[in-house]
Amino acid sequence: MEFAALSVASSMVIMLFQGGGVLVLSGRRYRLKLTAVQAALCEEFGNICRVVWNTGLDQRRQYRRRGVWMNYVPQAAELADAKRDHSWLTAAPCHVLQQTLKDLDRACRDHGTFKVRWRSKTRWAPSFRFPAGHRITVERLGRTWGRVKLPKLGWVTFRWSRPPGGEIRSATVSRRGGHWFVSLLVDDQATTPAQHAMPGTAVGVDRGVKAAAVTSDGEFFDQSFITTGETVRYRRLQQQLARTNKGSTNRRRTLAAMNKIMGRFSDRRGDFCAQTAATLTAKNALVVLEDLKTRQMTGSASGTRAVPGSRVAQKRGLNRAILDKGWHRLERALTSAARYTGTRVEKVNPAYTSQRCAACGFVTEGNRESQAVLRCKAADCGHTAHADVNAAINIKHAAGHAVSAFGDFGNSRSVKQEPVGRATGRTPCIRESPSFRGGGSQSWLPASRTDDGLHSHSDSRSKVWNAVYRSLQVTVGRPDGVGV
């Protein structure tokens, strides 16, 4: 069996202040070659982490419905008590389960307890993290192979595509596309420069569906991420999937083949975004993007049964084109690559950037004659340019001042400008800067309430983790795999 070399920088943005500079922690990702026993252990660790996540989330939601809070500190204490009563929790390393609860705590703080999703057995890809870097050892076995020692897994062989290049802080094991990977968080002593090598340079980037990215300098970045043969095969697999029964072996085999094709598709897109981001940040001290809400832009137009949507098929095709180009992934790649060059990445209001003439600032819907042609309709202008390049220039100009609705770049409100509620309602210029979330966790555990009154914390722990134990036994046969 051949193992393709894969080593990409992690999109995780981790920065530490050290010695007056910003220390950047880098990611190294390698493909693992597990034995049958190690693969079974990884599956078991992933299942336990999934059940702990779902049970912890269910407990948090129950507490929120009573008007009280639950956070990491009391849940970690309850987890330690539950391990004494339920031996199956001891199969996974304790710090792996603690990291799961920490991830849950941060997700609830960032998005809200009732917006955090359950981890389904069928939809969630197993993943768990070893935070103790001093217990992780990496050795090179030859030109193409190496091994890493992980707690309870022992020595695990992986494809040596590049050296780690620094002190290991943590390791994350995950499964994707039928293969297991390990991502090492490495301190390679790289720091963010105080100033870019070419200060004063700036570029605007317009993301689109015809070309993935077009710059204000006239550069076009685009690539096809899937071949014609793969498209045909994927369509046939979709038809085959529709004829299979849920839970059958043929269905699992078909899904595995589809995931293999989409895995290659995603890898090519990630490589394209990384290379494009490296090119843009190496040549520019400022990269300006539109503040696009990709999740909202790709929402369904189907509507409801009472109020059905219109032009659903066209909207579905547009959504697919937007997601295929990887707009958000390019934004994340630019943010990651900017740490090494000192580039600033700013986002501006996207309103009217594709309709405004970059030469005179006149805005009208008729300026955009076609997808590729912009011709200014102002009587004294007549400027003609590629529509995407013109939009990128407007994006670059908007980084220095607010984007007005109708082309007048003054400080006062234009008499021709639409009301804020009818336009975008957003701030004209939004500058992204590193944010550090603070705030300590509450150290108290409020007593939970039942219909009969208050009961002790120990009773609450027992009931919660008894539910965990029952969920672990039941979820193997449940289609949703929620486990709570």
Side-chain angles (χ1 to χ4, degrees):
M1 181 182 298
E2 296 182 0
F3 288 83
L6 179 61
S7 176
V8 297
S10 173
S11 60
M12 185 186 307
V13 179
I14 298 181
M15 297 182 292
L16 301 175
F17 291 95
Q18 185 180 49
V22 180
L23 179 65
V24 180
L25 301 183
S26 305
R28 306 286 187 264
R29 188 165 180 247
Y30 305 94
R31 180 170 163 181
L32 296 176
K33 183 181 179 182
L34 300 175
T35 63
V37 176
Q38 291 173 338
L41 284 175
C42 289
E43 287 284 354
E44 184 179 9
F45 294 169
N47 287 333
I48 295 175
C49 290
R50 172 177 55 84
V51 175
V52 169
W53 173 284
N54 291 334
T55 306
L57 178 58
D58 180 67
Q59 185 185 36
R60 284 172 176 265
R61 290 187 175 183
Q62 291 182 14
Y63 270 68
R64 287 297 299 125
R65 292 188 183 100
R66 302 186 191 111
V68 291
W69 290 93
M70 171 61 69
N71 50 56
Y72 167 74
V73 175
Q75 283 192 326
E78 293 182 8
L79 176 63
D81 294 340
K83 293 178 69 174
R84 303 189 187 98
D85 301 329
H86 305 290
S87 59
W88 55 271
L89 282 171
T90 61
C94 61
H95 48 278
V96 168
L97 303 182
Q98 292 170 358
Q99 292 299 307
T100 301
L101 291 179
K102 285 186 177 181
D103 294 341
L104 174 63
D105 185 74
R106 180 167 183 177
C108 291
R109 291 177 182 274
D110 291 347
H111 306 289
T113 303
F114 290 95
K115 291 186 178 181
V116 177
R117 295 184 178 182
W118 305 102
R119 289 186 171 178
S120 169
K121 179 182 178 182
T122 56
R123 295 181 180 272
W124 177 68
S127 175
F128 48 90
R129 182 169 64 255
F130 298 96
H134 63 280
R135 301 180 60 183
I136 301 172
T137 306
V138 176
E139 293 182 357
R140 186 167 187 174
L141 300 178
R143 186 176 64 89
T144 57
W145 294 101
R147 64 176 186 173
V148 55
K149 190 174 184 180
L150 301 174
K152 287 200 174 184
L153 289 177
W155 288 104
V156 182
T157 306
F158 65 89
R159 181 77 176 185
W160 187 280
S161 53
R162 64 179 298 181
E167 178 187 357
I168 298 175
R169 294 293 188 90
S170 66
T172 302
V173 178
S174 59
R175 189 184 66 189
R176 180 172 175 272
H179 302 288
W180 288 92
F181 298 87
V182 60
S183 299
L184 303 178
L185 186 63
V186 177
D187 179 9
D188 55 0
Q189 298 300 317
T191 58
T192 300
Q195 188 179 22
H196 193 273
M198 295 183 287
T201 55
V203 67
V205 180
D206 177 63
R207 290 167 286 178
V209 296
K210 192 68 175 180
V214 180
T215 69
S216 56
D217 299 331
E219 292 184 275
F220 288 75
F221 295 91
D222 195 27
Q223 178 181 329
S224 178
F225 306 129
I226 189 169
T227 64
T228 305
E230 289 174 337
T231 303
V232 174
R233 173 159 173 76
Y234 192 79
R235 186 179 298 112
R236 290 176 179 173
L237 289 173
Q238 286 180 317
Q239 297 171 352
Q240 182 178 343
L241 180 68
R243 295 190 294 266
T244 59
N245 298 323
K246 291 186 177 180
S248 64
T249 304
N250 287 337
R251 188 177 183 87
R252 289 194 296 269
R253 187 182 296 113
T254 304
L255 285 173
M258 294 173 64
N259 291 336
K260 186 176 181 180
I261 295 176
M262 294 309 296
R264 291 197 294 264
F265 178 84
S266 180
D267 289 341
R268 292 167 189 156
R269 181 168 52 198
D271 182 71
F272 166 78
C273 292
Q275 292 190 31
T276 303
T279 302
L280 293 176
T281 54
K283 298 190 299 183
N284 299 279
L286 173 64
V287 177
V288 189
L289 301 172
E290 293 177 295
D291 186 19
L292 300 177
K293 309 298 182 182
T294 309
R295 183 182 295 273
Q296 300 175 10
M297 295 174 63
T298 55
S300 175
S302 58
T304 62
R305 179 173 298 182
V307 185
S310 61
R311 307 185 68 179
V312 178
Q314 293 89 332
K315 184 62 168 64
R316 183 168 59 247
L318 177 61
N319 293 348
R320 187 181 297 111
I322 292 175
L323 295 175
D324 286 348
K325 292 301 181 180
W327 288 1
H328 183 64
R329 194 163 186 175
L330 176 60
E331 179 182 327
R332 292 175 57 190
L334 284 168
T335 304
S336 179
R339 299 175 296 156
Y340 297 94
T341 61
T343 302
R344 290 187 299 118
V345 179
E346 295 187 6
K347 294 191 289 185
V348 299
N349 192 341
Y352 303 102
T353 54
S354 61
Q355 299 178 8
R356 176 181 292 106
C357 174
C360 67
F362 179 73
V363 177
T364 180
E365 187 176 350
N367 283 350
R368 190 75 177 259
E369 291 189 349
S370 65
Q371 185 277 328
V373 178
L374 183 137
R375 184 173 285 105
C376 183
K377 301 303 181 183
D380 55 347
C381 182
H383 174 69
T384 303
H386 193 283
D388 293 338
V389 176
N390 180 85
I393 296 174
N394 288 329
I395 294 170
K396 176 183 175 181
H397 290 168
H401 42 256
V403 181
S404 81
F406 283 91
D408 50 342
F409 295 99
N411 294 327
S412 61
R413 178 185 172 93
S414 170
V415 296
K416 301 178 291 183
Q417 184 175 359
E418 294 187 13
V420 175
R422 293 181 57 192
T424 61
R426 288 181 287 185
T427 306
C429 183
I430 301 175
R431 177 169 297 182
E432 293 288 312
S433 60
S435 60
F436 299 90
R437 296 179 176 86
S441 302
Q442 298 177 0
S443 60
W444 50 269
L445 173 62
S448 56
R449 183 179 297 273
T450 63
D451 295 337
D452 299 332
L454 296 175
H455 59 77
S456 64
H457 304 319
S458 60
D459 294 339
S460 176
R461 295 186 195 127
S462 177
K463 290 183 178 180
V464 169
W465 288 104
N466 281 334
V468 179
Y469 179 63
R470 289 194 301 269
S471 65
L472 185 66
Q473 293 178 322
V474 174
T475 48
V476 177
R478 288 182 56 178
D480 56 355
V482 171
V484 292

